[in-house]
Amino acid sequence: MLKTIEQAFEGMDRFSSMLASSQSELTQLDQSILAKAFRGELVAQDPNDEPASMLLKRIKQHREEESVNNLNAKKHRASRKAKS
């Protein structure tokens, strides 16, 4: 009986060691995948795609236009309210 318990504990120790090793490997794999993603190495790149800088510029411009439109809409509502 004591030998069976000792074997069970040894098995748990081996399993625990394998689990720790697997967790370490998964962490390294996650880091490798993220690094490849940031370098654009996960999928084939389309040379016709616009550069990210241009996309960011368009997004910024769109947000600025949206902000101006929202401000104008607020002024319009306020002036209509004042006339009422």
Side-chain angles (χ1 to χ4, degrees), residues 7 9 14 25 33-34 44-45 52 57 62 80 83:
Q7 288 174 340
F9 277 118
R14 283 193 304 273
E25 289 173 5
I33 290 171
L34 284 173
Q45 301 299 305
K57 185 177 180 180
H62 177 73
R80 281 193 346 209
K83 290 179 185 180

Side-chain angles (χ1 to χ4, degrees), residues 54-68:
M54 294 300 294
L55 175 62
L56 292 173
K57 185 177 180 180
R58 282 193 303 113
I59 291 170
K60 182 179 177 184
Q61 184 178 12
H62 177 73
R63 285 182 178 169
E64 289 171 354
E65 290 170 2
E66 205 172 63
S67 178
V68 168

Side-chain angles (χ1 to χ4, degrees), residues 9-70:
F9 277 118
E10 288 172 4
M12 289 187 334
D13 287 342
R14 283 193 304 273
F15 180 74
S16 179
S17 177
M18 288 171 42
L19 179 62
S21 176
S22 295
Q23 287 174 328
S24 176
E25 289 173 5
L26 280 175
T27 299
Q28 289 174 348
L29 184 59
D30 284 346
Q31 291 172 355
S32 296
I33 290 171
L34 284 173
K36 284 185 174 285
F38 280 106
R39 289 192 305 261
E41 297 175 355
L42 289 182
V43 295
Q45 301 299 305
D46 183 354
N48 298 320
D49 282 345
E50 72 178 337
S53 59
M54 294 300 294
L55 175 62
L56 292 173
K57 185 177 180 180
R58 282 193 303 113
I59 291 170
K60 182 179 177 184
Q61 184 178 12
H62 177 73
R63 285 182 178 169
E64 289 171 354
E65 290 170 2
E66 205 172 63
S67 178
V68 168
N69 290 341
N70 288 341

